Amino acid sequence: MDWNDHVNSRSFISRPVAQTSFAFLYNYKDDHYVYPTGLIGMDMKQNEYENNNQDKKKRLTSEQLEALETTFQEEKKLDPDTKMKLANDLGLQPRQIAVWFQNRRARWKNKQLECLYDTLKQEFDVVCMEKQKLQEEVLALRTILKQRVNKRQGAGSSTRYTYMSGEETIESASAANTTNNHPHQLTLGQHQGAVASTTAMADRMINYDPGSSVSAPYSKWAVLPSYEP
Amino acid sequence: MDWNDHVNSRSFISRPVAQTSFAFLYNYKDDHYVYPTGLIGMDMKQNEYENNNQDKKKRLTSEQLEALETTFQEEKKLDPDTKMKLANDLGLQPRQIAVWFQNRRARWKNKQLECLYDTLKQEFDVVCMEKQKLQEEVLALRTILKQRVNKRQGAGSSTRYTYMSGEETIESASAANTTNNHPHQLTLGQHQGAVASTTAMADRMINYDPGSSVSAPYSKWAVLPSYEP
DNA sequence: AAGTACTGTGTAATGATTTGA
DNA sequence: ATCAAATCATTACACAGTACT
């Protein structure tokens, strides 16, 4: 009862419904309403005082977004005071501010996840390479040891026990590593390439064939296993 | 002009608007509209013939969801025929079907991402372990080699050139690997634990402290770096 | 035959609502 | 009242065919 004083804060929020509900009034067939050019980036405030007639706009202006974004950067959570201040400054309902922050948080989470994935992917690649090198190194060392043993055996020397013990522990340590036995390293598919950007995620998740945009437009959806709950 | 024959497919789309646009008519203050009990799970069809008065419902019925879900499982993409069929079968607008599928794909993508992450995480852990073992193995092998060389040197033998060359290549191969030099392996934080489930993702992304749910409710938002675009 | 307008579809981003805690 | 999660819908742009000039 402290804030949202004058109006009921929910009174006008609702998007200007007319445009979509009566979209059939427009000449355009399905969902291809042609936007009045020059209305996109404009700095037209859409507060409660001017959404009465036909402002078919809902998107926040760049100013509003900027302010919201800045605020979000420093505080993911929105305390009531900030909310009211933003609402007053930007000519929006407090409720809108709250909703914006909620959505922002939810979507920020997904972004985070993507970044996390990319990071992990890079780490993974690095570790794989290092493992590869270590594997080669082990082979090299083994070869050397073998050569040496052969040489010594030819000379009639016998520190053979020590050698075998070493070989044994070695075998047990890398028994499962001698071959490429990572079922997902390549089979998980698509994610062995260079990590381009966050949007490259989609290309890895979806069986996207970048070449054929003509044939089989539905193919990319048919392949993946269903991970649904 | 062949397809999209009878209806214009967008004519009636809009959701039953009354409920949201005129929400301020309800007595409820801000954003806490209390739903008329007993209307939630009911199987009331909401096609164009009965959304005129006061059906404050938007959620699809379980039947509708089931059908949509089933269809989605077999085809992530919605071809027009299927769309019309579903629309007729379920008493929904074709537009609604399309929208549902779009949203479903978006949600599915996030789920996929989570699964992908978990899978990759497990692979990562495995590879790390294997790398660890290989590292130990390399050390063991080196030790053996060293022992052997010392022994031979003590005996006055001199295959020293061969040894050094081997040692050199070895050093170069694992120069950067001898220590734990993975900046993110633990620093990325939070994701070295067992991979519990897909929802465990949030716990890894957000700096979530599972113990203190009372104090510092805002703390978990203040920590992470901003990965925003 | 090239250019242009129209239409349907897709994805991505975004605003808003519902539900339960 | 607030939040997170899920959901519905809309906005906006891109691309592909088709048709009309």
Side-chain angles (χ1 to χ4, degrees), chain A residues 24-144:
Chain A
F24 62 93
L25 289 177
Y26 294 98
N27 211 354
Y28 306 100
K29 194 66 68 70
D30 195 85
D31 54 352
H32 222 66
Y33 168 68
V34 173
Y35 314 97
T37 54
L39 257 167
I40 304 302
M42 278 179 60
D43 192 40
M44 168 197 280
K45 284 222 185 71
Q46 54 165 192
N47 45 21
E48 65 265 57
Y49 301 121
E50 41 186 343
N51 63 353
N52 37 13
N53 41 16
Q54 78 272 28
D55 56 342
K56 347 202 143 303
K57 270 182 80 274
K58 192 177 50 173
R59 305 292 257 237
L60 308 179
T61 68
S62 37
E63 278 186 22
Q64 292 167 330
L65 277 185
E66 204 168 337
L68 289 168
E69 202 67 51
T70 305
T71 313
F72 181 78
Q73 292 305 329
E74 34 187 71
E75 272 287 315
K76 308 305 180 207
K77 282 269 197 168
L78 180 66
D79 61 298
D81 296 338
T82 312
K83 175 161 79 173
M84 289 317 289
K85 187 179 181 312
L86 279 173
N88 287 332
D89 289 357
L90 305 177
L92 293 170
Q93 298 303 321
R95 164 78 190 179
Q96 281 179 291
I97 309 291
V99 165
W100 189 90
F101 264 80
Q102 282 171 359
N103 285 322
R104 193 71 185 77
R105 277 194 296 265
R107 279 138 197 175
W108 174 76
K109 220 184 73 176
N110 283 336
K111 281 265 184 275
Q112 283 291 91
L113 180 53
E114 283 183 15
C115 293
L116 218 52
Y117 180 88
D118 282 346
T119 310
L120 182 58
K121 179 67 183 71
Q122 282 177 344
E123 287 182 71
F124 179 78
D125 289 340
V126 168
V127 177
C128 277
M129 263 210 21
E130 290 176 349
K131 185 196 152 193
Q132 182 68 25
K133 280 189 178 175
L134 281 171
Q135 221 148 34
E136 293 167 8
E137 182 174 348
V138 165
L139 283 184
L141 282 170
R142 287 231 193 109
T143 307
I144 294 175

Side-chain angles (χ1 to χ4, degrees), chain A residues 9 15 17 29-30 95 104 108 112 130-131 137 141-142 148 152 170 174 221 227-228, chain B residues 8-10 15 21 30-31 77 108 112 130-131 137 141-142 148 152 170 174 227-228:
Chain A
S9 129
R15 64 188 102 142
V17 172
K29 194 66 68 70
D30 195 85
R95 164 78 190 179
R104 193 71 185 77
W108 174 76
Q112 283 291 91
E130 290 176 349
K131 185 196 152 193
E137 182 174 348
L141 282 170
R142 287 231 193 109
R148 199 136 318 174
R152 199 171 321 182
I170 288 156
S174 66
W221 294 105
Y227 279 115
E228 315 304 336
Chain B
N8 226 335
S9 126
R10 229 281 187 81
R15 68 183 104 142
S21 305
D30 195 85
D31 53 353
K77 282 269 198 167
W108 175 77
Q112 283 289 92
E130 290 176 350
K131 186 198 151 194
E137 181 175 349
L141 282 170
R142 287 233 194 106
R148 196 132 326 172
R152 200 171 319 184
I170 287 158
S174 67
Y227 278 113
E228 316 304 335

